[in-house]
């Protein structure tokens, strides 16, 4: 992720790919790219003995970088702790300036309707889809509550600037499905709902939703491939 002309690279330690990562970073530096190294491996709350925060994603807004810290307890089945957080990094000084605890297993994206905010998904019955305002101390405004829709977590979303979106989510039984919806929580419509049909959703350069699907070991007959959807009309192309 590039922020203030610095390239930030997620690196999980310890990892077997450490040599590969170091080689790739070295090549970027030889090309004149500034690569930042910032440790987020220690958190003051000390909830995890291993000290690893499980950083999942990055979003840049101007000269600030935001990292989703999922905070999983790998000593207890990788269970999701309530102390998942968003960490703010000042890219001009390469320092972590503040953080906000947001709930279980946070996943973040740029907010499609407001470039100054983040769109954050959290898991569990208390979770949902949120608009988070970094300029207001991480104030979170609920967009869609998991409990209202029988969901466990939104994990992949493609949204237009008018708030119409296609997204993939697990429900409370851990069956995943793809939905069309508005970011205000209205007009949620199930599009693909097939047991063990694993999906991810991304926004194409021309504004459609690409829905990637693959069969799992438990349902090898499930369709695989990429569906292209018109987001505004919630139809296949």
């Amino acid at each position: 992720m590039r922020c203030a002309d610095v390239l930030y690279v997620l690196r999980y330690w310890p990892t077997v790919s450490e040599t590969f990562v170091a080689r790739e970073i070295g090549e970027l530096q030889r090309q004149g790219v500034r690569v930042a190294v910032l440790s987020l491996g220690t958190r003051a709350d000390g909830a995890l003995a291993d000290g690893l925060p499980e950083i999942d994603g990055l979003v840049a807004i101007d000269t600030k970088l935001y990292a989703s810290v999922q905070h999983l307890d790998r000593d207890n089945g990788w269970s999701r702790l309530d102390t998942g957080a968003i960490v703010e990094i000042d890219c001009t000084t390469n320092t972590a300036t503040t953080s906000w605890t947001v709930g279980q297993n946070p996943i973040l994206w740029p907010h499609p309707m407001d470039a100054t905010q983040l769109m954050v998904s959290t898991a569990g019955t208390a979770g949902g889809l949120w608009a988070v305002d970094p300029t207001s101390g991480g104030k979170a405004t609920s967009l869609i509550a998991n409990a209202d829709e029988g969901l466990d977590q939104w994990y992949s979303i493609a949204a237009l600037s008018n708030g119409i979106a296609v997204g993939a989510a697990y429900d409370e039984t851990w069956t995943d499905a793809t939905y069309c919806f508005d970011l205000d929580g209205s007009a949620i419509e199930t599009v693909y709902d097939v047991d063990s049909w694993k999906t991810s959703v991304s926004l194409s350069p021309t504004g459609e939703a690409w829905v990637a699907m693959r069969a799992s070991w438990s349902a090898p007959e499930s369709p695989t491939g990429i569906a292209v959807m018109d987001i505004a009309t919630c139809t296949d192309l």
Side-chain angles (χ1 to χ4, degrees), residues 86-109:
I86 304 297
V87 177
E88 181 185 83
I89 299 160
D90 187 330
C91 301
T92 62
T93 60
N94 193 34
T95 55
T97 53
T98 188
S99 66
W100 309 289
T101 298
V102 294
Q104 295 180 10
N105 208 50
I107 302 171
L108 80 168
W109 302 270

Side-chain angles (χ1 to χ4, degrees), residues 11-95:
R11 182 173 64 176
Y12 191 91
W13 173 262
T15 174
V16 295
S17 63
E18 182 72 11
T19 301
F20 170 78
V21 172
R23 185 175 66 245
E24 296 300 303
I25 290 176
E27 178 58 30
L28 289 170
Q29 290 173 329
R30 284 189 290 274
Q31 295 175 22
V33 178
R34 294 175 60 205
V35 180
V37 178
L38 178 67
S39 174
L40 296 179
T42 302
R43 288 191 55 186
D45 54 38
L48 286 185
D50 61 27
L52 295 175
E54 280 77 42
I55 301 169
D56 175 74
L58 301 171
V59 170
I61 300 178
D62 295 327
T63 60
K64 299 294 178 64
L65 187 71
Y66 299 92
S68 53
V69 177
Q70 295 189 333
H71 219 199
L72 309 177
D73 188 350
R74 66 175 183 172
D75 296 328
N76 291 284
W78 298 91
S79 58
R80 307 171 306 199
L81 301 181
D82 292 332
T83 46
I86 304 297
V87 177
E88 181 185 83
I89 299 160
D90 187 330
C91 301
T92 62
T93 60
N94 193 34
T95 55

Side-chain angles (χ1 to χ4, degrees), residues 112-113 157-167 179-184 186-187 203 207 209 230-234:
M113 302 174 68
I157 293 174
L160 300 177
S161 59
N162 61 2
I164 300 175
V166 172
Y179 304 85
C180 293
F181 61 98
D182 291 340
L183 290 181
D184 63 3
S186 65
L203 190 65
D230 180 84
I231 298 176
T233 61
C234 191

